[in-house]
Amino acid sequence: MVRKSGAVRRSQKQISALKHLSLLDRDSPEPPVIQINPDESPGCTDQVYLHAAAIFQSSHLEKPAAHRLISYGKRSEVSIPDAQDEASQRAAYQLAFNTLKYQQLLEDILIDSCFCLSQPMPDSSMSLVVVLLTDLLDRKFLPRRQSTNQKAVKAVREVEACLLRFKTKLVASLARCRIKHELLTLDRILPENIRHRQERETHLLLYTWINTLLCSVEEVSEVLHTSGFVCVESVGQLEGRTFCKDPHCLDLLVFPNSVKRELSDTRLLSDYRLVIQDKSCCLGPCALRPLLAAGGDVLMAGCFSAQTIAHVSAVAASVSAHTLTEGHTANTHSQMVFVCLGDGQQSHTEELQKTLSKLGCKNVQLLSASLESLEVCDVRLLKLAVLFLMPACSLSAVSNPVDYIMQEKRDPRLLLDLSQASVSPEKLQTLAAQQRKELQHAMHFPQVRAVLYSTCSVYSEENEEVLQTVLSHTQEDPTTAPPYSLSCPALLQDCSTEDEESEEMKSRFFTLEPSDHNNGCFLALLTRQLKACWEEFLWGFWPSVFALID
């Protein structure tokens, strides 16, 4: 009995030492975000663990076979399940992301403790092992309180039981790793730029755009003032129930992140009169406003959410209404927003259409084609004037990857790149090649007078270099005549640079740097004058299409 009690005391002492070894330990006092309901009990549901394991298995860092001591099975055999609700999805994404960040450390612990030798598991179960180990370390191996209305998953319970039986050796291995790397906290094992990004994430502000499809700016302002919110001059004055107008976008309101619950109580969010969205996603739609003032439709292509489509829809509808109000009879055409969806599933298209209907969009047409497969002479695009391109990018300017990927409906496999210190040169080359290809095709639509290019990347390979390469190629291409040139987006004319040598080139781009207030964004505007040769060009290349114009 004495020996048993001593073993128990030693085990409890080791487990209590994990107070400073949590995988989610940060300088910020924020509670761990992977817990669904930390007030009731630590841990997640079995379904969340399965979801997180699937994300990890599909996106983990795969080592060369000669250096691979732990295998996670084939990525091609993994299908990421749908989440039960937003809270469960967030928990799964966050757990998977933390597991990706600490993958090397977790593998070291499993190998050093001899877990893989004494508790052999099939490769397909190892993703579940590391995901559960991440959660167990974070909750100091405390037991989960099992809810009666939660469906138990046998595979999860079995793996968790194995890890709990092995907890003493796992804790000892973790302590050895801490001593080896001289870690005060485990996040010190992460690269400095990852830790800096985590710190920025805790300070990000809450951005919302006013949905003028359903209400007016004055109506939203009145509701906010009635609910006790006070309008201040700048983001530096945001504290408590306050908000301010964004300096770049007229329809964008900024709040402290701490007032999200109070903002929800106003019903502005549930009624879709205010839409929460990252500022990096709002700059593009706002930059379209002066481009659409001259008339014509807009085509969207790339990666974006229903919220971005709705924002563009609201901008186009507002411009059309203003044109009619001002009495410009030359352009009475209701401006349409065409959206390239690619070869997506019918269920996704239907879900997107339902969301757009809730947001009040009546001028949007979804096209079941990618930009590259879309013919430049498509009769639906005869009045096309502006093309908005948001290609797939590294998202390296994003500080809150989990929230961003969830909000913008991006591929969760992007979490791997965002969990690393940098994007590999090979990955950057692949992304840049596709970006150049899409931009080149966008510039072949003869009726388009402006192309707006937007990324959330800090790498010049995806930004300036893409623009410069494509422009140099199209200068000699007769199918893009008249040629495009770079222009600074009209609402961002105050962009400046301290580098005198590159001032002329940089003034043609707009870069919003990642900061404690916002994620980063890159915008470039390509324009050309069509007045002199528009009709001649159409008659030369589009005789059959021109005959269809009324």
Side-chain angles (χ1 to χ4, degrees):
M1 288 296 292
V2 174
R3 292 179 181 177
K4 184 175 181 181
S5 299
V8 171
R9 284 195 298 272
R10 286 194 298 273
S11 176
Q12 290 176 338
K13 183 178 180 180
Q14 286 177 315
I15 295 173
S16 65
L18 283 172
K19 180 178 181 180
H20 301 293
L21 295 176
S22 170
L23 289 181
L24 295 182
D25 203 356
R26 299 179 181 175
D27 295 333
S28 169
E30 294 291 326
V33 294
I34 66 169
Q35 296 178 5
I36 293 179
N37 194 342
D39 294 332
E40 293 183 1
S41 64
C44 307
T45 65
D46 291 357
Q47 285 71 26
V48 166
Y49 292 126
L50 287 177
H51 194 171
I55 296 173
F56 177 84
Q57 187 174 350
S58 67
S59 57
H60 68 275
L61 184 63
E62 195 165 19
K63 300 177 182 178
H67 302 282
R68 191 185 309 151
L69 298 179
I70 294 179
S71 179
Y72 300 99
K74 296 181 180 180
R75 292 181 179 180
S76 58
E77 298 176 354
V78 182
S79 60
I80 299 178
D82 294 328
Q84 294 176 319
D85 50 58
E86 184 178 347
S88 297
Q89 184 182 30
R90 186 178 303 279
Y93 277 44
Q94 189 66 56
L95 182 53
F97 183 60
N98 287 320
T99 307
L100 288 167
K101 282 193 298 185
Y102 293 97
Q103 179 181 338
Q104 183 59 57
L105 176 64
L106 295 165
E107 291 179 356
D108 289 345
I109 293 172
L110 291 172
I111 294 168
D112 179 76
S113 65
C114 297
F115 177 87
C116 297
L117 294 177
S118 60
Q119 308 285 331
M121 298 270 183
D123 290 350
S124 58
S125 297
M126 288 309 298
S127 294
L128 187 57
V129 170
V130 291
V131 161
L132 276 163
L133 179 58
T134 302
D135 185 59
L136 284 168
L137 290 173
D138 179 58
R139 57 184 165 101
K140 294 90 177 174
F141 283 89
L142 293 174
R144 283 192 294 153
R145 181 183 301 172
Q146 307 300 337
S147 175
T148 55
N149 58 358
Q150 292 178 3
K151 182 180 179 180
V153 178
K154 183 179 179 182
V156 173
R157 302 298 171 90
E158 289 178 349
V159 170
E160 185 177 23
C162 286
L163 289 168
L164 286 171
R165 287 196 300 268
F166 221 71
K167 63 183 178 183
T168 302
K169 292 184 178 180
L170 292 170
V171 170
S173 294
L174 177 58
R176 284 192 291 271
C177 286
R178 181 193 178 193
I179 294 171
K180 177 182 177 181
H181 297 286
E182 299 180 348
L183 303 175
L184 293 177
T185 57
L186 283 186
D187 65 352
R188 294 299 172 184
I189 204 171
L190 299 174
E192 184 178 356
N193 61 337
I194 295 293
R195 298 201 307 269
H196 183 51
R197 188 176 66 191
Q198 289 181 165
E199 178 64 23
R200 284 202 309 262
E201 181 181 2
T202 63
H203 301 292
L204 290 177
L205 298 174
L206 186 67
Y207 289 87
T208 65
W209 54 271
I210 300 172
N211 186 3
T212 53
L213 295 169
L214 298 177
C215 65
S216 65
V217 175
E218 293 75 18
E219 180 184 347
V220 170
S221 298
E222 167 130 12
V223 172
L224 289 173
H225 288 304
T226 303
S227 302
F229 284 87
V230 178
C231 184
V232 296
E233 292 295 325
S234 66
V235 295
Q237 298 174 305
L238 291 176
E239 184 178 2
R241 285 178 173 252
T242 57
F243 70 97
C244 69
K245 296 178 181 179
D246 183 79
H248 295 116
C249 304
L250 298 176
D251 60 358
L252 201 59
L253 301 181
V254 194
F255 298 83
N257 214 349
S258 58
V259 301
K260 187 174 181 180
R261 178 172 295 179
E262 290 88 341
L263 190 58
S264 298
D265 293 339
T266 66
R267 298 185 61 83
L268 289 172
L269 298 178
S270 58
D271 292 343
Y272 304 104
R273 289 176 288 175
L274 270 184
V275 180
I276 294 177
Q277 193 169 23
D278 195 85
K279 179 177 178 176
S280 61
C281 301
C282 298
L283 283 170
C286 291
L288 289 173
R289 188 180 299 275
L291 303 177
L292 294 174
D297 298 332
V298 59
L299 174 65
M300 299 178 64
C303 301
F304 36 74
S305 63
Q307 286 80 1
T308 302
I309 299 173
H311 199 176
V312 174
S313 171
V315 169
S318 175
V319 170
S320 295
H322 179 74
T323 301
L324 292 174
T325 302
E326 294 294 320
H328 297 302
T329 57
N331 178 32
T332 58
H333 167 65
S334 178
Q335 290 169 293
M336 291 293 297
V337 178
F338 294 96
V339 183
C340 291
L341 296 180
D343 301 323
Q345 297 179 352
Q346 182 65 27
S347 58
H348 170 70
T349 303
E350 292 175 354
E351 180 183 353
L352 181 59
Q353 190 64 67
K354 289 179 181 178
T355 303
L356 294 175
S357 297
K358 292 178 181 178
L359 290 165
C361 302
K362 297 179 180 179
N363 58 345
V364 175
Q365 183 173 344
L366 305 179
L367 307 178
S368 57
S370 64
L371 177 64
E372 295 175 69
S373 64
L374 199 61
E375 296 291 339
V376 296
C377 57
D378 193 309
V379 294
R380 294 169 294 186
L381 306 178
L382 293 180
K383 296 180 180 179
L384 182 63
V386 180
L387 201 150
F388 182 24
L389 181 60
M390 298 177 66
C393 68
S394 63
L395 298 185
S396 50
V398 172
S399 300
N400 55 337
V402 170
D403 286 339
Y404 186 94
I405 288 177
M406 281 187 59
Q407 184 182 75
E408 296 304 309
K409 308 296 182 186
R410 303 297 289 272
D411 189 342
R413 285 172 291 191
L414 289 169
L415 289 172
L416 172 63
D417 291 331
L418 297 172
S419 69
Q420 307 301 306
S422 61
V423 180
S424 68
E426 296 78 14
K427 181 64 177 291
L428 273 180
Q429 290 176 7
T430 301
L431 286 169
Q434 183 61 29
Q435 290 156 358
R436 290 193 297 269
K437 188 175 181 181
E438 293 179 8
L439 183 56
Q440 283 177 326
H441 188 72
M443 295 168 68
H444 278 84
F445 288 84
Q447 71 277 43
V448 170
R449 62 173 179 266
V451 176
L452 185 64
Y453 179 87
S454 176
T455 75
C456 286
S457 172
V458 298
Y459 296 109
S460 61
E461 292 91 334
E462 299 182 86
N463 299 333
E464 295 91 344
E465 292 181 25
V466 168
L467 273 296
Q468 293 166 5
T469 301
V470 172
L471 280 174
S472 63
H473 288 169
T474 55
Q475 294 298 322
E476 302 175 357
D477 187 353
T479 61
T480 60
Y484 283 92
S485 61
L486 282 167
S487 304
C488 187
L491 81 163
L492 310 170
Q493 292 291 357
D494 60 343
C495 53
S496 60
T497 177
E498 297 178 357
D499 187 354
E500 294 181 359
E501 294 182 0
S502 60
E503 182 175 353
E504 182 179 355
M505 178 58 71
K506 285 189 175 181
S507 65
R508 299 179 183 179
F509 304 122
F510 173 79
T511 302
L512 181 70
E513 298 292 345
S515 70
D516 288 348
H517 295 155
N518 53 258
N519 287 319
C521 176
F522 173 86
L523 279 177
L525 176 61
L526 301 170
T527 60
R528 61 180 176 179
Q529 296 295 326
L530 293 175
K531 292 181 180 179
C533 55
W534 167 243
E535 187 173 340
E536 178 183 350
F537 186 85
L538 281 181
W539 279 108
F541 287 85
W542 276 19
S544 60
V545 175
F546 198 83
L548 297 175
I549 302 178
D550 294 331

